[in-house]
Amino acid sequence: MITFSHVYKTYRGANFRECHALRDVSLEVEKGEFIFLTGPSGAGKTTLFRLLSAFDRPSSGAASVLGYDIGKLTASELPAFRRRIGVVFQDFKLLRDRTIFENVALPLQVLGESSAGIERRVHECLDQVGLANRRDDLPELLSGGEQQRVAIARAIVHRPGLLIADEPTGNLDAAMAQEIMALFERANAQGTTLFIATHDHGLVQQSGKRVVNIRAGSITRGAKTESEDQWLRV
Ligand code: ADP
Ligand code: MG
C-alpha cells in the first residue's frame, strides 16, 4: 500500500544551507492498517503527508503509494491517484465560496456519482460528524472545530482506499475527538487504510494501534508492518 525507501525531502534554508525535512525515511504500510504518526512540531509529519498525497515529490529515494511512484507521477495520472485517497489537511482547505454540502459533495461529483447518490451519501457523512443541520452554510460561518469536521466528512465521503489525516482532532474537544475516532474505526473496518498524525497521546495510548514516530525528519520507531516490530508498539 505504502513503501518508502530512503526518502529525503530537502529544502534550501537561509544562506542556501540544505535542510532535510525528511531524512532517509524507509516505511512500509499494508492495506487495511490503522496507523498513528506522532512526533513533535517541526518533526516532518506534514512533509511526509504531502509526499503520501503527491502534493510534493521526494528530493531523493523512492516513494510508492497505492502502486503509484510518487516521484514519477505525471499530471495526467494525478486525478486517478487522488480519487483513491482522502486527505484531511491541517488547515482544512475548504472552498470558501461553496456550502458545506457542496464541499463534501466534491469528491463524489469528480467520480461522476448520480445526484441522488450524492445527496444520500453526503447527508450520511454530515450526519456522522454532527453537521447535517449546517449543510447550506458557507465555511466561514463555522467554528474551527466544525470546519475540521467538514474536512473529515469530505475525506471519507468517497470511501477512499487510503485516508491521510493531519492532526484531524486538533481543534476538537475530547468528546468530539472520540466520535471522530469511532468514525475512522468504522472506515477502517470497511477497508480504508488510515494514517493519522496526532499530538494527542491519550488518543494514541488507549487505541493500541501501530505508531510511527518521527523526530527531526527521521523515523525513530514503527517503520515496518511486520510482527517483528510488534514490541515497538504502544
Ligand atoms: P510537522 O508537521 O511535524 O510540524 P513539518 O513537516 O511541517 O513538521 O516541517 C518539518 C520541517 O521542514 C520544519 O523544520 C519546517 O520548517 C521545514 N519545512 C517544511 N516545509 C518547508 C518549505 N516549504 N520550505 C522550507 N522548509 C520547510
Ligand atoms: Mg504539521
Side-chain angles (χ1 to χ4, degrees):
M1 159 83 37
I2 298 171
T3 306
F4 273 38
S5 181
H6 305 291
V7 169
Y8 284 78
K9 182 67 190 176
T10 309
Y11 294 110
R12 260 185 216 291
N15 305 325
F16 300 99
R17 263 190 46 225
E18 286 196 337
C19 145
H20 300 300
L22 294 178
R23 188 188 299 268
D24 198 20
V25 166
S26 295
L27 175 69
E28 271 177 42
V29 175
E30 281 179 10
K31 188 168 161 33
E33 285 201 87
F34 189 136
I35 301 176
F36 284 113
L37 176 65
T38 60
S41 178
K45 300 182 297 298
T46 296
T47 304
L48 177 62
F49 279 2
R50 288 181 60 83
L51 296 187
L52 284 173
S53 49
F55 281 91
D56 251 326
R57 308 300 165 107
S59 304
S60 68
S64 152
V65 179
L66 291 163
Y68 292 84
D69 181 338
I70 299 297
K72 298 192 180 125
L73 208 58
T74 62
S76 60
E77 288 171 323
L78 206 52
F81 172 74
R82 290 269 169 72
R83 282 198 282 274
R84 295 181 54 194
I85 64 173
V87 187
V88 182
F89 296 96
Q90 205 167 3
D91 56 357
F92 319 142
K93 296 202 195 304
L94 300 178
L95 300 178
R96 301 273 142 216
D97 57 346
R98 309 277 182 97
T99 65
I100 300 311
F101 181 92
E102 288 165 345
N103 267 279
V104 177
L106 220 58
L108 296 177
Q109 279 167 348
V110 171
L111 284 167
E113 291 270 340
S114 71
S115 51
I118 292 175
E119 175 67 36
R120 198 177 326 115
R121 177 67 182 152
V122 172
H123 179 79
E124 180 179 57
C125 289
L126 283 177
D127 197 39
Q128 283 173 344
V129 299
L131 290 173
N133 61 337
R134 307 301 299 272
R135 54 175 282 157
D136 297 323
D137 285 336
L138 289 173
E140 65 190 11
L141 293 176
L142 274 57
S143 72
E146 287 168 339
Q147 291 186 30
Q148 190 158 38
R149 282 144 60 194
V150 175
I152 290 164
R154 184 183 58 186
I156 60 169
V157 73
H158 57 308
R159 298 189 173 88
L162 174 65
L163 177 73
I164 300 160
D166 201 352
E167 313 212 9
T169 58
N171 294 278
L172 308 181
D173 62 42
M176 186 50 71
Q178 293 283 0
E179 275 186 45
I180 293 302
M181 287 312 299
L183 189 59
F184 286 151
E185 294 273 7
R186 248 186 341 259
N188 185 235
Q190 288 167 5
T192 296
T193 302
L194 275 103
F195 209 161
I196 300 175
T198 183
H199 268 118
D200 190 338
H201 288 287
L203 218 61
V204 173
Q205 225 95 45
Q206 77 185 39
S207 75
K209 302 214 184 291
R210 176 177 167 195
V211 177
V212 174
N213 185 255
I214 186 166
R215 190 168 282 269
S218 298
I219 292 189
T220 57
R221 65 184 281 192
K224 280 234 163 91
T225 301
E226 313 312 326
S227 49
E228 65 191 66
D229 213 36
Q230 198 94 48
W231 60 277
L232 284 172
R233 299 186 193 182
V234 173

